[in-house]
Amino acid sequence: MINWNIKNSKEKRENWFFPSFEVQEYLLPVVNVGAPIFDEYSDTTYELDDCMRLRNVIASFMETLSLTNKSKIRYETIYKGLESLDKSLIIETLENLDAAANLAIKDRTALVFYGD
């Protein structure tokens, strides 16, 4: 699974990763907004412009999620068919990713995604 960190940071943050393959599969098309396309098996670097786009996309998607009262989000997976995900887990993952993008912008550095 993909995890992320601030470029050149040795500090490991808790929860800066996709918590499951299903959450990763669901969110990758949403958060894939950088100039480089996500490489699930190698590193992908989001520069400042990419991080700013990512923040906007996350805010918009979180607003969309807030409009549903359902606690489960259903989607069609590539390999397993229909899956249900906890809405709270999706929101938590997006909050962690947003925090990373904000920190990268604040520190004027890049956000790096590390593939499998």
Side-chain angles (χ1 to χ4, degrees):
M1 285 186 292
I2 295 173
N3 61 23
W4 55 84
N5 206 349
I6 304 304
K7 186 175 185 175
N8 298 326
S9 175
K10 303 265 189 255
E11 183 180 339
K12 276 286 197 189
R13 302 281 177 124
E14 285 189 35
N15 300 319
W16 277 17
F17 56 86
F18 290 104
S20 70
F21 284 110
E22 293 78 18
V23 171
Q24 178 175 300
E25 181 182 12
Y26 179 72
L27 287 178
L28 271 184
V30 174
V31 300
N32 197 4
V33 298
I37 294 176
F38 267 103
D39 184 343
E40 294 180 48
Y41 304 102
S42 187
D43 298 349
T44 304
T45 301
Y46 271 24
E47 301 296 340
L48 291 176
D49 288 348
D50 303 318
C51 289
M52 287 188 255
R53 274 192 301 278
L54 180 59
R55 277 191 332 182
N56 292 335
V57 166
I58 289 171
S60 176
F61 197 69
M62 293 276 274
E63 186 176 331
T64 300
L65 286 173
S66 74
L67 297 175
T68 181
N69 294 329
K70 297 178 182 181
S71 63
K72 298 282 186 185
I73 304 295
R74 294 179 58 114
Y75 81 106
E76 187 74 29
T77 67
I78 294 172
Y79 300 107
K80 293 182 179 178
L82 199 57
E83 280 285 324
S84 294
L85 299 174
D86 285 330
K87 178 179 157 183
S88 61
L89 187 58
I90 294 168
I91 290 171
E92 179 183 334
T93 304
L94 289 170
E95 287 172 344
N96 291 329
L97 189 50
D98 187 57
N102 284 324
L103 187 56
I105 291 166
K106 178 182 166 247
D107 290 351
R108 307 218 33 87
T109 190
L111 179 59
V112 181
F113 296 88
Y114 303 96
D116 298 7

